[in-house]
Amino acid sequence: MSGLLALRGAGLGFVADPFVVPPAEAVVHHTDALLLIREGRIAGFGPADRLLRELPPGTPVDRFPGGLMVPGFIDCHVHFAQLGIIGVCGPSLLDWLDRFTFPEEQRFADEAYARMVARLFLREIARYGTTTAAVFGTVHAGATDALFEEAAGSGLRIIAGKSLMDRQAPEALRDTAQSGYDDSRRLIERWHGRGRLGYAVTPRFAATSSPAQHETVVALRREFPDLWLQSHLSETLDEVAWIRSLYPRCRDYVDVLDQAGQLGPRAIHGHGIHLSERERERIAETGTALAHCPTSNLFLGSGLFDLAAAKAPGRAIAVGLATDVGAGTSLSMLRTMAAAYEVSRLRGHPVTPVQALWLATGGAAGALGLGDRVGNLRSGLDADVVVLDPSPMPLLAWRAARAADLDEWLGAVQTLGDDRAIAAVFAAGRRLPPPV
């Protein structure tokens, strides 16, 4: 029993998907819980009065009397190299890429700059309680190396990849089909499966990779079957029209990705706003996942993701929540949950706070194929835990104290909370130091 640590406070885990069963029946909530951690994994979670009787004498107990323990947050789609342009107002997506994103990403040819941004990025996501993230790099292999090197000592679970772009981009940001393959393979061999790190083959989107580069994506996935794949899909109407003009023989955007070998388990595509029912059916059929990026979609005016359509009974799609910084306006998953509610409200099918939390934890884990490792407070999973506590924020503390039930409490924290409401973050059982 050596090495056992206990966390005590209120706790919330999931027993089912709240999009499948009523949200109130999907959660297990203890007002006084004990969560046991051994060797980086959860060894038990339940009522404190029961588990305390089984606790060996002298076991250290971290107490959070005003807090609620929840699974660590999972960001399914974020660009670390766009941190420097977060909040830059501009026109539509394609113009925003040309005017702001591509010039900023060219700076990542400087590995010292890439390393500085990687450190800041990792520190900031931990500040907001994100313990797992799927991260886009730039075209520069050295910048992705720097991200992995910094992530290796962070305790966080980071899935990342070098962007593949051999056309429709500035010359300074283009690779070739062969160099993209070679650089990706070297990064995979060095980092994939090392500790909590994983590699995602990362074609930026269908317009920026040639048919030859699409073939190298297929080759990498064949050679390394446990890789992830991340890209973009149907973010704006202008983008959809552009893809249609580039691939006139394909039925639609999803068919482009299908023929390019970019669907299937462990493939997650950001956005998926402007989809037909045929496209949704094919996404579900292949086990492909979507990353819902509400703050980004609102900020760029890209459109409103139809979560209700994505989760339709009978062909539900795996969906995880994502910040999509830099078009996204915050690295906070709490803020992203609030935005997901706002978008769903505008769509006419508002999500509940429990459902929003699921999208940032268990649902996101499922979307990334990690449901057996993270996303819940269940024995055997990695001990990724966030403690929410409204007390440092006077208005939120007052509002939360007035909540009639758990759902209202969660809604208040999601709407008003920021990093001050994150009392503690544990990644693989290790309490992360407060950011400085």
Side-chain angles (χ1 to χ4, degrees):
M1 298 297 287
S2 62
L4 189 66
L5 169 66
L7 312 182
R8 186 173 184 181
L12 183 153
F14 292 92
V15 294
D17 180 342
F19 288 93
V20 175
V21 305
E25 298 175 14
V27 298
V28 54
H29 174 226
H30 304 295
T31 56
D32 184 16
L34 212 64
L35 189 142
L36 307 181
I37 299 172
R38 184 187 296 110
E39 296 180 353
R41 296 200 177 182
I42 297 173
F45 173 63
D49 60 356
R50 174 174 61 82
L51 291 180
L52 282 170
R53 293 194 295 268
E54 305 171 9
L55 207 62
T59 300
V61 179
D62 284 354
R63 299 175 183 271
F64 301 99
L68 176 71
M69 298 180 289
V70 299
F73 299 146
I74 300 170
D75 188 343
C76 284
H77 181 109
V78 60
H79 299 256
F80 96 97
Q82 294 179 14
L83 201 59
I85 58 169
I86 186 172
V88 173
C89 299
S92 64
L93 168 69
L94 299 179
D95 288 334
W96 186 82
L97 287 172
D98 288 336
R99 289 177 57 186
F100 306 115
T101 303
F102 289 155
E104 173 63 15
E105 291 193 4
Q106 289 180 47
R107 300 185 67 181
F108 285 75
D110 179 351
E111 291 185 26
Y113 182 73
R115 188 174 303 279
M116 180 274 292
V117 176
R119 288 173 181 164
L120 177 61
F121 169 77
L122 294 166
R123 186 170 70 238
E124 288 300 299
I125 65 172
R127 180 195 302 276
Y128 287 108
T130 296
T131 53
T132 295
V135 187
F136 282 66
T138 65
V139 74
H140 313 98
T144 303
D145 242 336
L147 173 64
F148 276 126
E149 286 171 2
E150 296 300 321
S154 71
L156 304 175
R157 180 180 291 278
I158 298 296
I159 299 163
K162 179 198 105 68
S163 288
L164 299 170
M165 295 196 296
D166 66 348
R167 66 175 187 173
Q168 307 288 357
E171 186 65 33
L173 288 178
R174 293 186 197 175
D175 54 12
T176 68
Q178 188 62 52
S179 71
Y181 170 85
D182 292 341
D183 287 343
S184 298
R185 203 176 199 286
R186 281 193 293 268
L187 289 164
I188 291 163
E189 291 172 343
R190 182 175 184 190
W191 295 112
H192 184 60
R194 179 174 165 183
R196 304 193 84 204
L197 306 179
Y199 198 86
V201 184
T202 307
R204 189 176 200 118
F205 71 118
T208 53
S209 288
S210 66
Q213 189 161 74
H214 289 314
E215 291 176 7
T216 68
V217 170
V218 173
L220 287 168
R221 297 188 76 196
R222 185 184 302 117
E223 292 169 48
F224 303 94
D226 62 341
L227 294 179
W228 285 266
L229 179 139
Q230 58 183 356
S231 191
H232 297 81
L233 165 66
S234 294
E235 186 172 355
T236 71
L237 291 172
D238 286 347
E239 173 209 0
V240 172
W242 187 24
I243 298 301
R244 186 178 296 117
S245 72
L246 292 173
Y247 298 90
R249 296 185 179 180
C250 293
R251 286 181 287 182
D252 46 43
Y253 205 147
V254 167
D255 193 37
V256 173
L257 299 181
D258 205 353
Q259 294 192 33
Q262 295 180 25
L263 302 182
R266 290 201 167 203
I268 184 163
H269 294 274
H271 308 293
I273 301 172
H274 307 286
L275 298 173
S276 67
E277 181 55 25
R278 192 213 77 82
E279 289 177 294
R280 292 192 186 95
E281 288 177 355
R282 184 58 181 160
I283 290 169
E285 179 184 28
T286 57
T288 307
L290 295 177
H292 176 23
C293 311
T295 71
S296 169
N297 300 156
L298 292 170
F299 187 69
L300 292 181
S302 302
L304 304 175
F305 180 72
D306 194 342
L307 182 60
K311 304 302 288 184
R315 63 113 188 89
I317 295 168
V319 177
L321 207 54
T323 65
D324 192 32
V325 164
T329 53
S330 176
L331 288 170
S332 168
M333 293 303 293
L334 291 176
R335 174 68 196 108
T336 307
M337 291 177 224
Y341 168 79
E342 293 161 3
V343 169
S344 67
R345 169 62 73 181
L346 288 170
R347 272 289 187 179
H349 297 90
V351 296
T352 70
V354 164
Q355 289 173 328
L357 180 65
W358 170 259
L359 291 174
T361 56
L368 291 172
L370 288 171
D372 61 340
R373 298 305 303 268
V374 295
N376 212 337
L377 301 185
R378 189 173 67 242
S379 292
L381 299 190
D382 290 355
D384 289 354
V385 184
V386 171
V387 182
L388 302 174
D389 186 350
S391 61
M393 305 178 64
L395 175 58
L396 174 56
W398 181 68
R399 178 66 188 85
R402 296 163 57 91
D405 54 27
L406 173 66
D407 215 46
E408 187 178 339
W409 191 95
L410 277 176
V413 173
Q414 291 170 4
T415 303
L416 299 174
D418 56 28
D419 60 312
R420 292 169 291 173
I422 307 294
V425 181
F426 293 81
R430 181 172 69 90
R431 186 170 183 172
L432 301 184
V436 295

